[in-house]
Amino acid sequence: MTTTEPTHLPLPLESDWLDWVGARGEQQLALARSLVDGLRAAPPKEPLEVLRVWNEAQTALSNAGSVGSLFSEVHPDKQVRDRAESVAQEVQKLDTDLGLDTELYAVLAGLDGSSLDADAARVLERTLRDFRRSGVDRDEATRDRLRELSERAILLSQEFSKNIREDVRSIRVTPEQLAGMPADWVEAHPVGDDGLVTVTTDYPDVVPFRTFAHDADARRELVTAFLTIAWPDNDRVLQDIFAVRREHASLLGYESWADYDAEVKMIGNGKAIGEFIDRITELSTASAERDKAVLLGRLRQDRPDATDIDGADTSYYAELVRKEQLAVDAQRVRTYFTFEAVRQGLLDVTGRLFGLDWTPVPREDARTWHEEVATYDVSFQGERLGRIHLDLHPRDGKYKHAAQFDLARGVNGTQLAEGVLVCNFNRGLMEHDEVVTLFHEFGHLVHHVLAGRTDWVRFSGVATEWDFVEAPSQMLEEWAWDADVLATFARNADGETIPADLVEAMRRADDFGKGYDARTQMFYAALSYDFHVNQTDDLTARLRELMARYSVFPYLSGTHMQCHFGHLDGYSSAYYTYMWSLVIAKDMFSAFDRGDLFDPEVAGAYRDKVLAQGGRRDAADLVEDFLGRPYTFDAYAAWLAE
Ligand SMILES: [Zn+2]
């Protein structure tokens, strides 16, 4: 390793982006290839040296991957995005090839790890596990079949999402049936020649319609159409996806896909997923029943003979209850959140909490991809840790959601951590939801930067188990709900600080329905788990059984929501992860004093023992080290009961 002081990645002048993205990708890919060639042909004698070369190759591959995935999503120039996309594909291909490279595996598997320190030994152990999970140590016929299955999985996955994307359904309603809809929405939905209005199953239609439309029949018709998207085509695709995964897991010697997938997660094995779902179901039942009774009570004011409430009515009545009984005026709330003040407030809050200094980098020095991107250097006790870029507003061709991307993963002596937040917030006043999202995503960014001082890229940044990744971010959301914290930056045009009682009311409104939401989430988690463990000929029948057991709301007749539940593909058997992280987040948060969220001792311990460790140890051990005891469900249960 070099001993020169690592620096940030210099970005190109505006006219040079296309060449730069291509060159950076090619150069890092070529470096990775040549390092691996060297390992195969003439590996160093010392095990530690072999791992160091492997680490350099992984760093180069990660650098190429970062440039590919970031700029294919954010660069304003389509040519640059396309160029980055092809870099990302090359990285993906090389990664797959390396995973099935028997010669390379032989070099690494032949190392005697007995003299390695804990970190290096863990790198070796994790690397060999990755290799085995890709099937590199199996006979040739099995490897060929695994490759076939992976290729088939990619095609099925594309077909599954395409069927969802392209099957837009719609209903036709009279203008009177739009009663309750916001004026700007009605304006954007003109009446056709036949006197009717079309409402589609796309999110910008279905979400407000099921929330605001007074007409119960129209709501029911639209929600039913929505929960029938991609039926029946995706029913068959799903069966094929599950079959491919079953065979994949079985070829590698696992009892189920859930066991294979969970092996590298905090939860450990498939059976534990089922137990977790049952446990959360039990913990959330009282809260779920309580809030559901409020919904049903409100429904009965309109329909006195109603005995239950289903998916056609839940969003509508939840909104009514929030408005009538929990009275929070969203129009008033947003006057306290001007974008510039929120961004500075976030930096001040996290700076104070973690002892970090965020220093703005002038635009002419940072040379980012867009003039709205704000760049900061980050340091801790005078030591430079890295650089962040905040790209927070929407524009054409840009990624549509909110996420943290890597620009570089920090490696001691080699490169500084650089991370990017990509969001789509309002430019003037922000909704409080957006403020919470900003804190959440910034949690990933802080994790990325703080865990960037490691010798091993394998453990750098958010390199922890997938079902722990969300916990630090979910915990940081708490700071965006604290009246004292918000008071440090949330001020309206008259300079008045957001009142504590308004924050309190916002929290109450947000808390309403958390129990039945948890039950609904556990129904989804049960679908994702059960379909990957138990073979069934009739997915809808199985869905109805699981819904009856896990959701507090009844099945909506004639629907087949499994066909458009996209996460069955992306998350496979692991949809439980978000709730799992939340349980851990609530537990970690219990260590903080709610009267003083800035207590430097607790925050410092959390920074050093959890965030800064990255993937150096199992998440369960990091959490135990911070809390002084193993994690429990107590804090989560207490929160549900609040
Ligand atoms: Zn997140």
Side-chain angles (χ1 to χ4, degrees):
M1 260 172 236
T2 56
T3 47
T4 51
E5 197 58 28
T7 179
H8 64 267
L9 182 63
L11 296 176
L13 293 170
E14 200 173 331
S15 54
D16 299 341
W17 270 97
L18 186 61
D19 289 342
W20 184 85
V21 163
R24 168 86 178 161
E26 286 314 320
Q27 173 215 351
Q28 295 294 309
L29 276 162
L31 178 58
R33 283 194 192 97
S34 82
L35 288 163
V36 169
D37 287 345
L39 274 187
R40 271 198 227 95
K45 291 207 166 45
E46 287 299 314
L48 187 61
E49 283 309 308
V50 173
L51 287 181
R52 281 187 175 153
V53 177
W54 175 241
N55 187 49
E56 285 174 44
Q58 291 292 102
T59 305
L61 194 60
S62 150
N63 286 342
S66 298
V67 162
S69 53
L70 172 65
F71 293 113
S72 64
E73 297 284 6
V74 301
H75 204 279
D77 180 348
K78 181 164 188 320
Q79 271 188 298
V80 177
R81 291 201 299 277
D82 290 347
R83 191 70 233 271
E85 179 72 45
S86 66
V87 169
Q89 283 161 2
E90 279 181 75
V91 170
Q92 187 68 50
K93 188 175 175 313
L94 180 56
D95 198 40
T96 307
D97 288 347
L98 293 179
L100 286 166
D101 187 324
T102 51
E103 281 178 67
L104 177 62
Y105 174 67
V107 170
L108 288 156
L111 295 183
D112 171 9
S114 57
S115 62
L116 299 173
D117 68 16
D119 280 0
R122 186 173 165 92
V123 170
L124 179 58
E125 183 259 322
R126 287 296 145 109
T127 302
L128 295 179
R129 188 177 75 177
D130 291 345
F131 270 110
R132 282 194 299 271
R133 285 172 59 79
S134 67
V136 70
D137 57 344
R138 306 285 155 155
D139 61 48
E140 200 180 333
T142 308
R143 290 203 312 275
D144 288 347
R145 181 62 184 156
L146 283 167
R147 208 187 269 276
E148 268 170 38
L149 288 173
S150 298
E151 282 162 12
R152 176 129 175 77
I154 292 170
L155 294 178
L156 285 167
S157 161
Q158 286 166 347
E159 193 184 355
F160 184 69
S161 357
K162 177 169 164 284
N163 287 344
I164 294 172
R165 211 168 47 233
E166 295 184 353
D167 185 11
V168 179
R169 304 192 178 199
S170 58
I171 65 167
R172 308 270 290 149
V173 298
T174 63
E176 294 72 45
Q177 287 178 299
L178 298 184
M181 297 303 293
D184 56 341
W185 190 95
V186 173
E187 214 165 290
H189 291 72
V191 182
D193 293 339
D194 58 355
L196 297 176
V197 178
T198 301
V199 187
T200 73
T201 52
D202 279 343
Y203 282 100
D205 275 8
V206 77
V207 172
F209 200 84
R210 72 181 177 198
T211 310
F212 299 116
H214 295 327
D215 190 296
D217 293 334
R219 281 203 312 269
R220 182 162 301 269
E221 200 188 340
L222 185 65
V223 171
T224 303
F226 179 66
L227 295 175
T228 319
I229 289 173
W231 162 265
D233 294 359
N234 267 353
D235 212 55
R236 179 195 53 77
V237 179
L238 277 176
Q239 291 284 20
D240 291 348
I241 289 176
F242 300 147
V244 163
R245 288 175 180 165
R246 259 197 310 276
E247 185 181 346
H248 186 118
S250 150
L251 281 173
L252 291 168
Y254 296 83
E255 209 169 294
S256 70
W257 173 267
D259 275 337
Y260 170 73
D261 187 69
E263 181 189 27
V264 290
K265 299 199 164 71
M266 214 176 159
I267 205 161
N269 62 72
K271 193 163 150 281
I273 300 174
E275 289 163 4
F276 174 72
I277 293 170
D278 286 338
R279 183 141 190 207
I280 296 295
T281 299
E282 195 188 311
L283 286 174
S284 52
T285 295
S287 166
E289 299 292 351
R290 191 176 58 223
D291 287 354
K292 183 186 171 183
V294 176
L295 287 189
L296 187 57
R298 182 59 189 80
L299 170 64
R300 283 200 182 117
Q301 290 178 25
D302 297 344
R303 264 179 265 159
D305 56 342
T307 55
D308 207 342
I309 179 164
D310 65 25
D313 291 323
T314 45
S315 301
Y316 180 76
Y317 283 96
E319 175 64 19
L320 271 192
V321 166
R322 286 200 180 94
K323 200 167 101 192
E324 296 171 354
Q325 302 174 24
L326 301 163
V328 174
D329 180 355
Q331 293 300 326
R332 179 178 167 221
V333 170
R334 64 206 295 272
T335 61
Y336 293 98
F337 298 111
T338 47
F339 171 77
E340 299 289 339
V342 170
R343 185 177 64 188
Q344 189 55 46
L346 167 78
L347 295 170
D348 294 343
V349 165
T350 50
R352 185 173 156 198
L353 190 60
F354 299 121
L356 298 172
D357 292 307
W358 307 104
T359 312
V361 180
R363 174 149 169 75
E364 58 274 20
D365 295 339
R367 298 201 300 209
T368 60
W369 50 99
H370 191 271
E371 62 187 11
E372 282 185 328
V373 178
T375 302
Y376 301 84
D377 279 330
V378 49
S379 57
F380 174 66
Q381 293 175 348
E383 186 196 344
R384 198 170 162 207
L385 294 185
R387 178 170 277 198
I388 62 162
H389 306 277
L390 305 180
D391 183 353
L392 301 181
H393 301 304
R395 61 176 175 267
D396 281 350
K398 183 181 153 180
Y399 183 73
K400 298 287 176 239
H401 312 282
Q404 182 254 320
F405 287 76
D406 300 347
L407 183 52
R409 294 166 73 182
V411 179
N412 281 343
T414 304
Q415 58 190 36
L416 288 175
E418 282 196 74
V420 183
L421 269 204
V422 183
C423 301
N424 289 278
F425 298 133
N426 287 315
R427 287 183 176 78
L429 295 175
M430 293 174 82
E431 309 292 336
H432 181 251
D433 278 359
E434 295 181 312
V435 177
V436 174
T437 302
L438 179 59
F439 272 70
H440 175 104
E441 297 304 337
F442 204 80
H444 294 306
L445 195 57
V446 168
H447 198 175
H448 174 75
V449 168
L450 281 171
R453 285 180 300 174
T454 163
D455 292 340
W456 304 100
V457 72
R458 186 77 169 73
F459 305 141
S460 177
V462 189
T464 180
E465 291 101 313
W466 200 32
D467 46 2
F468 179 70
V469 165
E470 293 301 330
S473 288
Q474 287 166 326
M475 192 177 87
L476 200 59
E477 288 179 26
E478 302 279 355
W479 275 255
W481 286 104
D482 183 84
D484 294 337
V485 173
L486 291 178
T488 64
F489 63 84
R491 275 178 212 91
N492 65 16
D494 298 330
E496 294 158 351
T497 301
I498 191 166
D501 58 351
L502 177 60
V503 178
E504 185 52 37
M506 286 154 57
R507 287 195 78 118
R508 271 200 309 277
D510 186 62
D511 272 354
F512 179 74
K514 63 190 170 186
Y516 65 66
D517 283 343
R519 290 285 301 263
T520 301
Q521 288 296 313
M522 289 307 94
F523 159 55
Y524 297 154
L527 273 187
S528 119
Y529 171 63
D530 187 274
F531 284 167
H532 284 92
V533 173
N534 299 314
Q535 218 174 322
T536 170
D537 292 336
D538 188 340
L539 295 176
T540 302
R542 188 69 188 136
L543 173 144
R544 295 184 64 166
E545 283 170 39
L546 294 168
M547 189 163 186
R549 194 185 319 162
Y550 293 107
S551 173
V552 292
F553 302 114
Y555 170 71
L556 195 60
S557 142
T559 59
H560 308 273
M561 70 79 71
Q562 75 273 13
C563 292
H564 95 142
F565 186 33
H567 293 317
L568 281 178
D569 181 42
Y571 279 75
S572 77
S573 48
Y575 188 75
Y576 74 92
T577 52
Y578 203 79
M579 189 63 79
W580 177 272
S581 289
L582 186 62
V583 169
I584 310 279
K586 294 289 180 196
D587 199 13
M588 293 194 300
F589 186 58
S590 71
F592 286 83
D593 174 1
R594 282 205 206 183
D596 175 17
L597 290 187
F598 289 108
D599 183 335
E601 207 167 309
V602 189
Y606 171 67
R607 174 195 63 218
D608 298 340
K609 292 178 175 179
V610 179
L611 297 179
Q613 298 298 319
R616 289 180 65 209
R617 297 170 66 194
D618 290 354
D621 295 336
L622 302 181
V623 174
E624 178 166 353
D625 192 23
F626 168 55
L627 291 175
R629 57 163 174 79
Y631 65 87
T632 73
F633 286 62
D634 298 350
Y636 175 80
W639 169 72
L640 277 176
E642 259 169 33

